[in-house]
Amino acid sequence: MQTRQAFDVILEKVSVINQQIATMAGQMQEMLQNKDVVLESAHSLSASGEQVSASVEEVTATMMEQSSTVQQLANMVDTIDQLTQKLAESAARFKVE
């Protein structure tokens, strides 16, 4: 009888170990799925970062272009101001009676 009892204990322990292995396998599968979700999120964040970077570059280029245009306009205003002063000086030479 002791041999039979020993085998019963062994079978019970093997059954417990099998259940633990099945539980661990399920947990490993869940971990793998979670890993995939994390990797997808990381890729998404990376892509978003690249898009933000590209947008910032576009905004910077547009701002530089606008700054250049504003400078050109300022130069044109200076030129018009100088021409207006010359015209006023020329007109002052003539007297209308």
Side-chain angles (χ1 to χ4, degrees):
M1 279 279 204
Q2 289 185 354
T3 305
R4 174 83 175 146
Q5 289 174 344
F7 278 118
D8 287 344
V9 169
I10 291 172
L11 283 173
E12 187 178 314
K13 299 286 184 185
V14 168
S15 177
V16 169
I17 290 172
N18 281 339
Q19 289 174 350
Q20 290 174 341
I21 289 172
T23 300
M24 288 175 56
Q27 291 172 341
M28 290 292 287
Q29 184 64 30
E30 186 178 338
M31 287 174 57
L32 288 173
Q33 290 171 348
N34 290 338
K35 174 201 64 115
D36 291 340
V37 169
V38 169
L39 286 176
E40 286 177 29
S41 295
H43 288 302
S44 178
L45 286 173
S46 177
S48 295
E50 289 173 5
Q51 289 174 347
V52 167
S53 178
S55 295
V56 167
E57 287 179 18
E58 288 177 19
V59 168
T60 300
T62 300
M63 289 177 65
M64 291 176 66
E65 185 178 316
Q66 288 177 347
S67 177
S68 174
T69 301
V70 167
Q71 184 60 45
Q72 289 174 354
L73 288 172
N75 291 341
M76 289 178 185
V77 167
D78 286 343
T79 300
I80 290 172
D81 185 49
Q82 291 171 5
L83 291 173
T84 303
Q85 287 178 4
K86 287 182 182 178
L87 180 61
E89 289 171 5
S90 295
R93 292 184 197 157
F94 298 99
K95 289 191 177 181
V96 179
E97 293 184 20

